Amino acid sequence: MRVLVALGGNAMTGPDGSARPEDQVAAATRATESVAALVAAGVDVVLTHGNGPQVGNLLVKNALAAHVVPPVPLDWCGAQTQATLGFVLTCALEAALARHAVRRPVAALVTRTLVDGDDPGFGRPTKPVGRYLPADQARALVEHGETWEDRGEKGWRRVVASPEPLEVLDAPAAAALIDAGYVVVANGGGGIPVVRGEDGSVTGVEAVIDKDLGAALLGRTVGADVLVIGTDVPYAVLGYGTPDARDLHTVTVAELRDHAAAGEFAAGSMGPKVEAACRFVEAGGSRAVITDLDHLVDAAHGEAGTVVVRA
């Protein structure tokens, strides 16, 4: 069985959201213990991850230094965080595998994801990224070509495009490593968004790809049987925050899409995870599971979490 495990970006920070290097290393150590247990159980694992908090920190550095050095574009931020988190996860996973007496090599890939340059999202940037800034600091970044919106009392916040992911360009390299026995870390943050020119050349673009949709696409591309989306809750919930709240256990794609259409899942949190789970199963995956890291091994076998199946 081949399982794609998607770690949320907040799984790479401290419980209180702290993101000092030592906090991120400690978080990776906790997360990869569950991944190593899955590998030790004989499962072929591919690992991907979010990078929202880390990209947000780089954007703060951009803002603070904008009057001194040019800010780096968003695709560069994605590449930098992919490489850094890939390094941290590789070291943590190697150590976790050793504790489980498992000898498997680990490799991290900086991975690009193709999007359409004419995607409607580029004309209407709506995805908020980074932190709120006062107007004078935001103005300096607008002068560098960024789009910022006045969000009232909180200040100004940058908005970017979030186009549909079409193809993981470096998936063949990931597949070759997987087939050679590696546990592969790839497509962090949904992949670095790139477009293809008329001459076939590929260039990065200022955008953010939804990490869960990117995980579903990577999973289909590398032939994963199961997609496990790791988050901070053990189940997707209907009626969240109400007295009638109830956990979703096994559910069909059709049922889950009906719940989504009824507005059960927040667009900025559980909504993308639900959509990614549905897409993965619709494209041929045997099941997708939404759960927390404590139940990762059972989730891979369909015995924990919200299990999404065809019928």
Side-chain angles (χ1 to χ4, degrees):
M1 180 171 61
R2 179 170 294 177
V3 176
L4 179 76
V5 176
L7 301 176
N10 288 324
M12 298 299 300
T13 61
D16 59 353
S18 53
R20 297 174 304 172
E22 55 267 37
D23 297 322
Q24 297 188 57
V25 169
T29 300
R30 290 192 298 271
T32 53
E33 186 63 31
S34 298
V35 176
L38 193 55
V39 177
V43 175
D44 193 12
V45 175
V46 185
L47 186 61
T48 189
H49 58 86
N51 62 352
Q54 292 76 20
V55 168
N57 286 344
L58 286 183
L59 294 176
V60 172
K61 295 176 182 179
N62 271 354
L64 294 175
H67 294 288
V68 182
V69 294
V72 298
L74 200 53
D75 50 313
W76 282 38
C77 292
Q80 289 176 24
T81 53
Q82 264 198 32
T84 300
L85 293 176
F87 158 67
V88 170
L89 285 167
T90 296
C91 294
L93 185 52
E94 285 177 341
L97 290 171
R99 288 193 293 274
H100 284 266
V102 174
R103 296 178 61 86
R104 287 286 297 276
V106 183
L109 288 178
V110 175
T111 316
R112 301 163 297 166
T113 297
L114 185 69
V115 301
D116 186 348
D118 294 323
D119 189 291
F122 286 110
R124 298 187 304 274
T126 59
K127 175 72 172 178
V129 295
R131 303 182 185 181
Y132 293 93
L133 293 179
D136 59 336
Q137 293 182 29
R139 193 173 302 115
L141 293 164
V142 170
E143 292 172 358
H144 284 282
E146 298 178 359
T147 302
W148 286 71
E149 290 183 347
D150 185 353
R151 297 296 180 97
E153 291 183 0
K154 290 185 175 180
W156 287 64
R157 199 170 187 200
R158 187 182 178 188
V159 290
V160 300
S162 185
E164 181 76 15
L166 303 177
E167 179 184 354
V168 181
L169 295 183
D170 303 292
L177 286 167
I178 296 164
D179 292 341
Y182 282 78
V183 180
V184 174
V185 183
N187 216 44
I192 305 163
V194 297
V195 296
R196 195 183 299 281
E198 293 182 2
D199 62 353
S201 62
V202 170
T203 56
V205 289
E206 290 271 14
V208 170
I209 296 173
D210 182 86
K211 69 182 187 310
D212 297 310
L213 300 185
L217 179 58
L218 178 65
R220 300 197 304 267
T221 306
V222 301
D225 304 293
V226 178
L227 169 65
V228 178
I229 300 176
T231 184
D232 55 357
V233 293
Y235 300 95
V237 177
L238 297 181
Y240 182 79
T242 74
D244 298 322
R246 64 183 178 91
D247 297 336
L248 271 177
H249 293 264
T250 299
V251 60
T252 67
V253 169
E255 291 168 338
L256 194 58
R257 285 206 178 279
D258 285 345
H259 292 314
E264 288 284 357
F265 309 114
S269 54
M270 189 57 69
K273 295 173 177 55
V274 165
E275 176 64 23
C278 289
R279 289 189 187 190
F280 178 80
V281 175
E282 288 168 339
S286 64
R287 62 181 169 271
V289 188
I290 301 170
T291 192
D292 57 15
L293 292 178
D294 291 338
H295 297 92
L296 188 61
V297 176
D298 289 338
H301 294 91
E303 298 170 355
T306 298
V307 182
V308 185
V309 296
R310 247 184 241 103

